[in-house]
Amino acid sequence: MSVPETEEKLIRLLFLIKKRPPLYLTRRSILGLSDFYGGFIEAVMEFTPEDRCGMIISEFGLFIRDKHPELEFLDLFNILYEVSEYDEAKAFDLFFDEFESFLTGKNIKIPNFDKKSGG
């Protein structure tokens, strides 16, 4: 499945964060990821309102809510935080495990940032 360029860039950014969380968030934290994502989307909306960035995360949020209907009143990040028993690092890892599963199910390429691929 093809995604718009802005969504592709967002997916790449998220996987860069996965690879080196301290560079972007100071530590592996679902709450830090939530704050970063919220700020990122606000900046995109401010500077390029024509870009509809974040739709893939909205869809991912629905995917997670479907898995945890008892927590549907929470946002994506807080659902994962609660499911991970309030362990920020565990919820961070769960975000990416679930996100990879979601992307794979939609036939969306997962970025690979190993040394051989050059990013």
Side-chain angles (χ1 to χ4, degrees), residues 41-69:
I41 293 299
E42 283 295 317
V44 168
M45 301 284 276
E46 178 71 27
F47 297 110
T48 56
E50 67 279 2
D51 287 342
R52 296 207 37 166
C53 192
M55 298 306 292
I56 197 77
I57 297 300
S58 294
E59 283 185 50
F60 177 51
L62 295 174
F63 173 80
I64 293 299
R65 281 187 186 96
D66 286 347
K67 286 185 153 192
H68 304 283

Side-chain angles (χ1 to χ4, degrees), residues 58-76 79-80 83 98 102 106:
S58 294
E59 283 185 50
F60 177 51
L62 295 174
F63 173 80
I64 293 299
R65 281 187 186 96
D66 286 347
K67 286 185 153 192
H68 304 283
E70 73 283 4
L71 300 173
E72 69 181 354
F73 58 91
L74 295 174
D75 68 28
L76 158 67
I79 290 172
L80 296 174
V83 168
E98 293 286 3
F102 170 77
K106 293 205 161 282

